[in-house]
Amino acid sequence: MDDRRSAARRDGERRAAREGQPVPPATVGRLPGYLRALEVTASEGAVLTSSDELAARAGVTPAQLRKDLSFLGSYGRRGIGYDVGHLREQITVVLGLADVRRVLLVGVGNLGHALANYAGIADRGFVLVGLLDVDPAVVGTTVAGLEVEHADDLRAVVRRTGATIGVLTTPAAVAQGVCDELVAAGVVGILTFAPGALRVPAHVDVRTVDVASELQILAFHDRARSVGGGAS
Amino acid sequence: MDDRRSAARRDGERRAAREGQPVPPATVGRLPGYLRALEVTASEGAVLTSSDELAARAGVTPAQLRKDLSFLGSYGRRGIGYDVGHLREQITVVLGLADVRRVLLVGVGNLGHALANYAGIADRGFVLVGLLDVDPAVVGTTVAGLEVEHADDLRAVVRRTGATIGVLTTPAAVAQGVCDELVAAGVVGILTFAPGALRVPAHVDVRTVDVASELQILAFHDRARSVGGGAS
DNA sequence: TAGATTGTTAATCGATTAACAATC
DNA sequence: TAGATTGTTAATCGATTAACAATC
């Protein structure tokens, strides 16, 4: 459609990636894995890496890795490989981790408690800014350095903290209700551990982690193995 | 390829589904959601349901739902809908939940502790049969009614309990090692909460739940929203 | 220059969607 | 019979794979 010349091409592609949508969902889903693989590589002191090495670390094929990275705008050098630090930085920017994201957690039961203390959150570009629950035995206690507030104050807490991401570890029965409140308060991303589909407006992104579902999927393959049986 | 006649067709399709592979992975991944939606429907006392209703509950389109169910062999009646109890049973069988699956959990830290007490495991066709850790402060204590054993005894515990599925909630640094031991002991399905790809032989199935990755994917969309900005 | 390794293209594969004939 | 709703087909879409020309 647009008739640019050779010199501008590479920059144009990078710009497109930076400004935009065109990174396919499947690719986005793999970027965190690449980032982690790069961190491991960096921790070993390597400055350069190859699609072969990085793909092996991330558990994908080299072709897949190169294709994925091409959507971000091509940060490697032919014949040489990828600069570990630079690529790491680029993926960090694309994933939106250059700015710290503020996270709110609702439901400080067993699982919520464990997640609040989970290093993976704080270490990877997120800050936990609030904890909410309805249980009077929990509200007011300190968990992971934060005082648990009452879920009735959800709206005020979102406003005060500027949280944009909510983690839902409530019982399934109240998940949709809390979800609605989070959305009304302005949260745009929700990670839920409650089973069952959540209804949200189009501008809100939901990711569901359902432990029981995961086990059931494993059970399917376990069964298929015994039923299909024996030799190939 | 095979030239069967009309009468045998329906049964043939059911047989194919029962005996086999041909359920696509994407469909398998949605079956637990359908099962849950059916359970909610059943709990409301309904005997019949439709693809419209069930799909809405599961958060998919009716076309998607019907297509998925067609891989299991067609258990609905045109003009009528699906029998809730019957469909529930069929999905249960296909997912391999007719038999109880024995689950072993390695890594009884914060998260492992929470999962051991998680009702979603016991309620949904699984039994937790063993808990393992290396921390002397944890080994020997009782969690969720089980005595935590030392991870050095992993092999013996798998043999004794007949566990086929392992849940990995160890630090990332030791995950691959524990994974190898689980596989060597005969476990065929692994659900890991440690970040990073696990290498396993082809006959073993791995599902990874990575909380940090999920948050990073949410961060991508959060960023895309602010960068892409304003009006559509 | 020769060898290495990317970025991109084209081919394949699988998943989703829409529409409708079959059938209750 | 008329209305409802499935199961299946065909069309579309997106993701993966393989191969290779570009280029360091």
Side-chain angles (χ1 to χ4, degrees):
Chain A
M1 274 182 180
D2 191 274
D3 222 302
R4 302 276 174 84
R5 299 284 149 59
S6 53
R9 214 187 289 164
R10 198 198 283 162
D11 285 335
E13 281 169 18
R14 292 197 180 167
R15 211 173 300 124
R18 240 179 244 130
E19 288 175 15
Q21 316 313 343
V23 186
T27 296
V28 173
R30 282 184 294 265
L31 292 180
Y34 300 157
L35 190 54
R36 217 195 101 85
L38 280 166
E39 278 157 12
V40 174
T41 306
S43 78
E44 291 171 1
V47 167
L48 281 174
T49 186
S50 65
S51 59
D52 269 41
E53 183 183 60
L54 207 52
R57 284 228 154 104
V60 302
T61 64
Q64 173 101 264
L65 176 86
R66 292 203 300 276
K67 179 110 249 241
D68 282 337
L69 293 184
S70 79
F71 291 113
L72 315 187
S74 312
Y75 297 109
R77 285 164 69 200
R78 294 172 200 238
I80 306 293
Y82 300 91
D83 180 282
V84 174
H86 185 234
L87 186 54
R88 199 176 154 184
E89 212 173 279
Q90 295 309 324
I91 296 180
T92 300
V93 169
V94 171
L95 279 176
L97 304 172
D99 312 318
V100 165
R101 308 276 149 183
R102 288 176 291 277
V103 175
L104 196 77
L105 185 146
V106 189
V108 191
N110 267 327
L111 182 60
H113 204 107
L115 289 174
N117 285 297
Y118 177 52
I121 295 185
D123 286 2
R124 293 173 177 275
F126 301 93
V127 212
L128 194 60
V129 295
L131 296 173
L132 301 171
D133 206 303
V134 292
D135 182 350
V138 173
V139 174
T141 63
T142 298
V143 173
L146 287 170
E147 192 183 328
V148 179
E149 302 180 67
H150 198 283
D152 284 351
D153 301 328
L154 190 149
R155 211 144 182 165
V157 176
V158 172
R159 209 179 309 129
R160 191 188 76 226
T161 60
T164 55
I165 291 175
V167 175
L168 249 170
T169 41
T170 65
V174 301
Q176 182 65 63
V178 174
C179 172
D180 293 345
E181 291 180 61
L182 284 168
V183 169
V187 163
V188 294
I190 293 175
L191 175 58
T192 176
F193 290 78
L198 291 179
R199 304 214 144 269
V200 291
H203 74 280
V204 176
D205 199 25
V206 176
R207 309 273 312 168
T208 302
V209 169
D210 184 344
V211 174
S213 282
E214 298 296 333
L215 288 174
Q216 290 177 345
I217 293 165
L218 289 176
F220 172 86
H221 293 287
D222 192 354
R223 183 217 63 129
R225 226 168 271 113
S226 23
V227 174
S232 69
Chain B
M1 274 183 177
D2 192 273
D3 223 301
R4 302 276 172 87
R5 300 283 151 61
S6 52
R9 216 187 288 163
R10 198 199 281 161
D11 285 335
E13 279 168 22
R14 292 198 180 163
R15 211 173 300 123
R18 241 180 244 130
E19 289 175 14
Q21 318 310 343
V23 185
T27 296
V28 173
R30 282 185 295 264
L31 292 180
Y34 299 157
L35 191 54
R36 218 196 98 84
L38 281 167
E39 279 157 11
V40 174
T41 306
S43 77
E44 290 171 2
V47 167
L48 281 174
T49 187
S50 65
S51 59
D52 269 40
E53 184 184 60
L54 207 51
R57 286 232 153 99
V60 302
T61 64
Q64 173 101 265
L65 175 85
R66 291 203 301 275
K67 181 110 248 246
D68 283 338
L69 293 185
S70 78
F71 291 114
L72 315 187
S74 312
Y75 298 109
R77 285 164 70 198
R78 293 172 199 236
I80 306 292
Y82 299 91
D83 181 281
V84 174
H86 185 234
L87 185 54
R88 200 176 154 184
E89 211 173 279
Q90 295 308 327
I91 296 180
T92 299
V93 169
V94 170
L95 278 176
L97 303 172
D99 311 318
V100 165
R101 306 276 150 182
R102 288 176 290 276
V103 175
L104 197 76
L105 185 147
V106 189
V108 190
N110 268 326
L111 182 60
H113 205 107
L115 288 175
N117 285 296
Y118 177 51
I121 296 185
D123 286 4
R124 293 173 178 275
F126 302 93
V127 212
L128 194 61
V129 294
L131 295 174
L132 301 171
D133 206 302
V134 291
D135 182 350
V138 174
V139 174
T141 63
T142 298
V143 173
L146 286 171
E147 192 181 329
V148 179
E149 302 180 66
H150 197 284
D152 284 351
D153 301 329
L154 191 150
R155 210 143 182 166
V157 176
V158 172
R159 209 177 311 128
R160 191 188 75 227
T161 60
T164 55
I165 292 176
V167 175
L168 250 170
T169 43
T170 65
V174 302
Q176 182 65 64
V178 174
C179 172
D180 293 346
E181 290 180 61
L182 284 169
V183 169
V187 163
V188 293
I190 292 175
L191 175 58
T192 176
F193 290 78
L198 290 179
R199 303 214 146 270
V200 290
H203 74 280
V204 176
D205 198 25
V206 175
R207 309 273 312 168
T208 303
V209 169
D210 184 343
V211 174
S213 283
E214 298 296 333
L215 288 174
Q216 289 176 344
I217 294 166
L218 289 175
F220 172 85
H221 294 287
D222 192 355
R223 182 215 65 127
R225 226 169 270 113
S226 25
V227 174
S232 68

